[in-house]
Amino acid sequence: MKKTLMLACVAMSLTGAAQEKPVITSRAGFTLPPPPVVEKKPVTDTYKVTGSADVSYTDNYRYLEDAKAPATRAFIDAQNVYTQQYLDKLTMLPRVRESMAALLKVDQMNMPTERNGVYFFSRRKADENQGSIYMRKGLHGADVKLIDGPSRSADGNTSVNFMGVTEDGSLLTYGVRVGGADESEVHFFDLATRKDVGEVLSSARYYGVSIAKDKKGVYYSRFTPHVGCKVYFHAFGTPMTADKLLLGGEYKGEKLGEIDGIGVRVTENGHWLVFNINRGVPAKREDILLKDLTKPDAPIVPLVYGIDARFGLDVVGDEFFIDTDWKAPNHRVLKAEVGVAPDAWKTILPEGKDVIESVSFVGGRMFVLRLKDVMGDLRVYTLDGKETGHIAFPGVGSGSGMAGRFKSDDGFYAFQSLITPPTYFHYDVKSGKSEVFYTQPSPFQSGQYELKEVFFTSKDGTRVPMFIAGKKGLKRDGTERLLMTGYGGFALAMRPDWNPEYAWWMEQGGWFALPDLRGGNEYGEVWHKAAMFEHKQNVFDDWFAAAEYLIANKYTSAEHFAIRGRSNGGLLMGAAMTQRPDLFAAIWCGYPLLDMLRYQYFLLGRTWTTEYGSSENPDQFAYIAKYSPYQNIKQGAKYPAIMFFTGDGDTRVDPMNARKMTPAMQEASRGGRPILLHYSIKGGHSAGVSMSQLVEDYADEMAFLWTETK
């Protein structure tokens, strides 16, 4: 009797608390019941802080970190039911799915890889859920399917991805991935028999897979959580348990741990095995080691080791070319020699005012892609650094570097933009002529839209670029909807690439904006470092300044302003909702980092401490705690409409971030706006879910953002 009375009192208390909040109302005019009641189980942590007293935080939803616990699964189910209640009321959703399918379900192809006049690539037909791997003899030959993707699973959520092919074009490597997970099985396909050879590397996160020149085995780097990468040689016909360890655990007495990613590859001529050791993500230091494969007992020797800078290696014959930011934040190209100190290496291309994004060696030439205010500039050089040509891209947009091999005259590059689907060009190095190899079809009418680049001023006076796109003649009176996305981290430049979601938004009559926030590589390592560690707030300040520019120039207003971001961009969304909820009407927060005091304990989180720092470090705790979204939720604040999106298939950013943030925001908000968790059971950080599933997920996202900015 007493137990029944206690439960009744608790229920009355919860009901009363829910009634104190504003009625949850969509901009579409319908109301929702209160979110599911989520139990609190407080856990308090105490942190050391340099120069200050210890600081304690209480986490009410720590138990939701355990993805397999019955309480967590019940929470996910309840949240998905609640989100579905919202989606069921969106009368526009069927139309959104139809138009999103028209944009997504088109023929798609990846950049080809050439071997002796034969081209290998992945391609997905318009009516297929997954792509397949093809070959084509000659530039204009017929496509021949080698490995079928759609038949791999009944639900269409198993994909195949092309990983490489031997120099003689006889043996192909491909991965098999389930859902959106990062892990893949590795398979090998014989081009002569058109069959798998029966060798499989079990499902894992691989940082490099490269077949030996004699094709008797394969070198691979395999990541193990909480351990790190180890490089092995697998002899075909033997069990993986017998694979020979080549590198891992330590080198030269220095530990190789969890944050040290090791890439491995065999050079084009088969002479060298190259190990790239990336100390963290992004790498604070890159080491390059070499093993001479012509000498069975040759040791692994360093080409460059122990320097806090980034070094990318291209091997041309037996010559070593290095693209580095060492003493050159905008990068330069050096010619390296084994056993010679980097200070004595010859400079091939000195650092310039525009950052070098990529360097490649194709057809006896060196191709260098620079970024000029984020847009690509591709130039051709001799191996001693003399410029011999320039490849012009067709307008404002995103041009790529050159892909190909040094001993082949076949090169490929791409161009796309926010209003132009990708086109791949074949480039004949001998003649210098380009021709279209493939253009992705689309119902999007590019000629009806315009794209421009503008510049705005951030809080501290920094000049920041931004791309803005929309229909020609679209009004600028503050009444139109606008969608903005961003990233700002990991030295990744945000190029104005094609995206069907953004195309859909513009088709409906909305503006789209992409600011290039500090933290990326748009202006080199200086731009990146300006938003790392204790400077992370610069990313958020750039973001808010971009929003204020768009509002001041009447592209939109706060009530019509939608934002979206994923991964590190999900952290940006978390900062936006907790620091400046007044600026935005609707937020989609995908696969996000949100609990920055604990992110390092989960999945790949430890590797990102070279970007963010760690709350375990007393010198770094204070600045992380100051912006960490989960710890900065304000009770009673008026938050905008929010959809968190994640899923069990995300094996990179732990879904615990969104699981914990959702109930905390639902409980705190007094804005009367929907706060939802869209939790996918199969979706994940990487590509791989079926096209049908992707259409649904994209449509749910866009319908939510469009509706809540009405």
Side-chain angles (χ1 to χ4, degrees):
M1 184 70 175
K2 289 182 180 179
K3 184 176 180 181
T4 303
L5 180 60
M6 184 180 294
L7 288 173
C9 290
V10 170
M12 289 170 62
S13 174
L14 290 171
T15 302
Q19 288 175 345
E20 292 173 5
K21 296 183 179 182
V23 175
I24 297 172
T25 307
S26 166
R27 287 275 181 88
F30 60 81
T31 60
L32 287 176
V37 174
V38 183
E39 184 181 5
K40 294 180 181 179
K41 298 180 180 180
V43 176
T44 300
D45 295 313
T46 300
Y47 296 88
K48 299 291 183 182
V49 187
T50 299
S52 180
D54 293 354
V55 176
S56 295
Y57 281 93
T58 297
D59 184 350
N60 288 322
Y61 303 106
R62 178 71 55 84
Y63 69 99
L64 293 177
E65 291 177 353
D66 184 354
K68 296 180 180 179
T72 304
R73 303 319 298 181
F75 162 82
I76 292 169
D77 290 343
Q79 291 289 336
N80 273 343
V81 168
Y82 184 64
T83 298
Q84 193 60 50
Q85 284 181 281
Y86 172 89
L87 295 173
D88 286 344
K89 293 177 183 293
L90 293 183
T91 56
M92 71 177 299
L93 189 54
R95 298 193 304 274
V96 180
R97 287 180 175 165
E98 183 179 351
S99 51
M100 192 65 71
L103 287 163
L104 281 166
K105 292 189 173 184
V106 297
D107 185 87
Q108 292 182 336
M109 179 177 175
N110 290 342
M111 189 89 82
T113 296
E114 181 268 341
R115 293 291 184 268
N116 304 315
V118 179
Y119 303 89
F120 300 89
F121 50 89
S122 296
R123 189 167 195 165
R124 184 186 58 77
K125 299 295 180 66
D127 60 347
E128 294 177 329
N129 264 321
Q130 295 288 355
S132 299
I133 299 173
Y134 291 80
M135 63 175 282
R136 179 190 297 183
K137 292 184 178 181
L139 284 172
H140 308 291
D143 293 348
V144 177
K145 184 185 289 188
L146 300 174
I147 300 159
D148 186 72
S151 64
R152 291 276 166 168
S153 64
D155 65 358
N157 279 302
T158 299
S159 59
V160 298
N161 58 294
F162 175 80
M163 298 179 72
V165 62
T166 54
E167 290 300 316
D168 64 359
S170 65
L171 189 60
L172 182 148
T173 310
Y174 70 97
V176 178
R177 175 187 293 139
V178 177
D182 287 351
E183 293 77 9
S184 294
E185 280 185 347
V186 179
H187 296 245
F188 303 90
F189 185 86
D190 188 299
L191 272 300
T193 63
R194 303 287 172 89
K195 293 180 180 179
D196 278 11
V197 299
E199 296 284 342
V200 178
L201 302 183
S202 59
S203 182
R205 189 186 304 272
Y206 290 95
Y207 282 38
V209 177
S210 192
I211 297 172
K213 185 178 181 180
D214 62 9
K215 292 173 286 187
K216 293 183 179 180
V218 60
Y219 301 93
Y220 66 89
S221 175
R222 181 184 178 112
F223 175 83
T224 301
H226 311 299
V227 175
C229 285
K230 293 187 177 181
V231 180
Y232 296 89
F233 176 74
H234 171 72
F236 290 150
T238 67
M240 285 187 71
T241 53
D243 292 353
K244 180 181 178 181
L245 176 65
L246 300 178
L247 182 66
E250 65 86 27
Y251 180 73
K252 286 187 173 292
E254 185 177 7
K255 181 182 178 181
L256 294 172
E258 184 178 5
I259 76 165
D260 302 313
I262 308 176
V264 64
R265 71 183 191 278
V266 178
T267 58
E268 193 173 304
N269 63 5
H271 187 167
W272 303 97
L273 187 64
V274 178
F275 306 85
N276 294 82
I277 306 176
N278 301 299
R279 310 280 181 164
V281 180
K284 62 181 179 181
R285 162 186 154 195
E286 287 184 340
D287 300 320
I288 299 174
L289 313 179
L290 301 169
K291 180 177 175 60
D292 188 341
L293 294 178
T294 66
K295 301 173 182 178
D297 298 323
I300 297 173
V301 298
L303 180 64
V304 58
Y305 192 84
I307 297 176
D308 285 340
R310 299 187 183 92
F311 296 86
L313 173 65
D314 281 284
V315 182
V316 178
D318 286 320
E319 296 183 310
F320 305 111
F321 291 86
I322 296 283
D323 167 20
T324 181
D325 64 3
W326 178 53
K327 298 182 179 180
N330 283 349
H331 288 244
R332 56 182 173 149
V333 180
L334 308 175
K335 188 174 182 180
E337 295 182 57
V338 178
V340 176
D343 274 324
W345 292 347
K346 180 182 178 182
T347 297
I348 302 300
L349 277 183
E351 181 185 23
K353 68 180 182 67
D354 297 316
V355 63
I356 293 174
E357 187 175 58
S358 71
V359 178
S360 58
F361 293 82
V362 182
R365 293 288 185 268
M366 177 171 65
F367 293 82
V368 178
L369 179 71
R370 293 181 176 87
L371 295 185
K372 291 180 177 289
D373 289 329
V374 197
M375 289 184 281
D377 179 78
L378 183 56
R379 296 181 183 267
V380 191
Y381 297 86
T382 62
L383 298 194
D384 59 4
K386 180 182 178 182
E387 185 176 336
T388 61
H390 176 229
I391 297 171
F393 296 118
V396 177
S398 180
S400 78
M402 188 67 68
R405 295 185 299 159
F406 184 72
K407 64 182 182 181
S408 171
D409 290 326
D410 282 303
F412 291 91
Y413 65 94
F415 178 81
Q416 59 186 305
S417 81
L418 291 168
I419 61 173
T420 310
T423 292
Y424 300 140
F425 296 89
H426 174 261
Y427 181 78
D428 187 295
V429 179
K430 275 187 178 178
S431 67
K433 293 182 179 179
S434 298
E435 66 172 307
V436 173
F437 183 79
Y438 171 82
T439 296
Q440 182 177 305
S442 176
F444 186 79
Q445 300 298 310
S446 297
Q448 297 178 14
Y449 299 81
E450 59 183 351
L451 169 64
K452 64 181 178 180
E453 186 177 25
V454 301
F455 295 84
F456 62 91
T457 302
S458 191
K459 181 178 179 179
D460 63 358
T462 300
R463 182 174 180 262
V464 182
M466 176 164 57
F467 293 93
I468 303 175
K471 282 186 176 179
K472 293 177 179 177
L474 187 59
K475 290 185 299 182
R476 282 177 53 184
D477 60 3
T479 64
E480 301 293 354
R481 292 175 173 89
L482 184 141
L483 173 62
M484 183 168 73
T485 193
Y487 192 77
F490 293 88
L492 295 175
M494 291 297 288
R495 309 286 296 281
D497 292 337
W498 169 256
N499 185 306
E501 287 189 280
Y502 311 154
W504 178 89
W505 186 272
M506 288 184 281
E507 282 184 335
Q508 311 316 303
W511 289 103
F512 178 79
L514 172 66
D516 284 276
L517 315 171
R518 280 175 285 182
N521 189 47
E522 289 87 348
Y523 295 102
E525 187 58 14
V526 172
W527 194 254
H528 174 219
K529 286 183 175 178
M532 292 175 67
F533 299 123
E534 70 272 22
H535 304 301
K536 186 65 178 176
Q537 185 62 37
N538 283 336
V539 179
F540 313 139
D541 289 342
D542 289 355
W543 180 254
F544 304 143
E548 288 166 344
Y549 172 94
L550 292 164
I551 292 171
N553 285 274
K554 298 189 178 301
Y555 285 96
T556 192
S557 57
E559 64 178 331
H560 303 302
F561 208 137
I563 57 174
R564 58 96 63 192
R566 49 178 287 161
S567 193
N568 175 68
L571 170 59
L572 177 63
M573 298 303 103
M577 68 182 73
T578 53
Q579 294 187 25
R580 290 297 306 274
D582 58 301
L583 276 179
F584 311 107
I587 302 175
W588 184 88
C589 183
Y591 304 113
L593 281 155
L594 295 167
D595 185 351
M596 297 304 291
L597 296 188
R598 289 181 56 78
Y599 81 95
Q600 68 273 14
Y601 301 126
F602 301 89
L603 299 178
L604 295 186
R606 183 69 61 181
T607 67
W608 307 324
T609 56
T610 55
E611 175 82 4
Y612 301 122
S614 169
S615 63
E616 299 159 301
N617 185 331
D619 293 336
Q620 298 175 332
F621 169 82
Y623 71 74
I624 296 173
K626 189 174 181 179
Y627 73 75
S628 179
Y630 186 58
Q631 285 75 28
N632 283 281
I633 298 170
K634 298 176 181 65
Q635 293 296 319
K638 293 183 178 180
Y639 289 112
I642 301 168
M643 178 181 282
F644 296 102
F645 186 95
T646 188
D648 289 336
D650 191 348
T651 57
R652 192 180 311 179
V653 176
D654 199 292
M656 71 88 182
N657 287 274
R659 289 199 298 263
K660 294 201 304 181
M661 190 80 170
T662 299
M665 289 294 290
Q666 289 173 337
E667 195 273 335
S669 181
R670 295 298 184 273
R673 307 298 308 284
I675 296 178
L676 310 169
L677 175 62
H678 191 311
Y679 199 94
S680 169
I681 303 303
K682 295 177 180 176
H685 224 91
S686 296
V689 297
S690 72
M691 186 54 57
S692 296
Q693 183 66 55
L694 203 62
V695 167
E696 286 194 20
D697 291 344
Y698 281 9
D700 291 350
E701 174 192 349
M702 289 294 109
F704 167 77
L705 292 174
W706 190 263
T707 297
E708 299 307 327
T709 50
K710 184 175 180 181

